[in-house]
């Protein structure tokens, strides 16, 4: 399987673009945020545990996140002919990036591209405020929003340079209209997925 990661801060339009990208290339869409929100609709102990982190805008512990995520990947992959997955919202820190690399290589699969949605911070803040009014997510309190943005810039964004050194990063200008962003993504990811698999060692 050839996998793709999509990365960008809250408010970059990542959810919308991820849905379109996965549909366009027949990838399994794995959004950790969506998986957790679905889980939190139940009232299991696991749901309670996850809710405590999500509502504060903190990261759910890495081990729990990986367990839930890769179980979902196996589950979806078993039921489909998909050629790969789109990881949306994962990895978010160095430890998760390592787990992803190890898991992909253990499975004999490949990370083919990392889509980086880049949006100016002032644009983000305006969009996030608009979305908070519309969606009423339990983690859209000002404190949780600030925390999520800070985690993005401190822990997630630095991962991009490592992927860039491996030639995986597709930079996309997220300040454009949703349609223009989608067109740029399709063009550049199409190239990346068409490349023959690279050998890593
Ligand atoms: P999102 O919809 O991607 O913004 O995710 C919503 C919330 O789910 C985050 O603020 C975290 O609490 C949790 N979450 C999502 N993805 C991860 C991840 N990769 N690692 C840890 N927590 C996550």
């Amino acid at each position: 399987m050839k996998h793709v990661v999509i990365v960008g801060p809250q408010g970059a339009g990542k959810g919308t673009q991820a849905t379109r990208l996965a549909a366009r290339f027949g990838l399994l869409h794995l959004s950790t945020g969506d998986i957790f929100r679905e889980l939190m609709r139940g009232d299991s102990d696991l749901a309670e545990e996850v809710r405590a982190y999500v509502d504060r805008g903190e990261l759910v512990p890495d081990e729990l996140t990986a367990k839930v995520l890769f179980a979902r990947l196996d589950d979806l992959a078993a039921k489909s002919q998909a050629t790969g997955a789109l990881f949306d919202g994962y990895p978010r820190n160095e430890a998760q990036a390592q787990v992803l690399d190890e898991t992909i290589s253990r499975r004999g699969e490949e990370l083919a591209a990392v889509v980086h949605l880049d949006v100016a911070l002032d644009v983000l803040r305006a969009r996030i405020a608009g979305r908070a009014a519309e969606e009423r997510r339990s983690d859209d309190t000002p404190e949780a929003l600030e925390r999520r943005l800070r985690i993005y810039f401190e822990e997630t964004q630095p991962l991009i340079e490592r992927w860039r050194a491996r030639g995986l990063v597709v930079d996309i200008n997220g300040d454009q209209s949703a349609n223009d962003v989608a067109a740029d993504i399709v063009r550049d990811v199409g190239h990346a997925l068409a490349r023959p698999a690279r050998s890593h060692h």
Side-chain angles (χ1 to χ4, degrees), residues 32-33 36-37 54 58-60 65 89-90 92 96 137 139 148:
T32 42
F36 286 139
R37 279 184 288 278
V54 172
E58 289 174 10
L59 292 184
V60 175
T65 300
Y90 188 94
R92 266 171 147 94
Q96 294 184 3
R137 276 169 48 159
D139 58 347
R148 282 157 55 207

Side-chain angles (χ1 to χ4, degrees), residues 30-89:
L30 290 168
S31 158
T32 42
D34 286 350
I35 294 171
F36 286 139
R37 279 184 288 278
E38 183 190 310
L39 194 80
M40 290 187 302
R41 284 197 281 274
D43 62 359
S44 60
D45 288 349
L46 184 59
E48 280 309 308
E49 189 184 347
V50 165
R51 190 175 291 118
Y53 296 100
V54 172
D55 283 356
R56 285 200 298 261
E58 289 174 10
L59 292 184
V60 175
D62 295 335
E63 209 173 313
L64 175 55
T65 300
K67 199 170 127 192
V68 170
L69 172 67
F70 292 111
R72 179 62 63 92
L73 171 60
D74 287 339
D75 192 37
L76 292 179
K79 291 188 281 202
S80 94
Q81 303 292 315
T83 55
L86 175 63
F87 291 93
D88 167 10

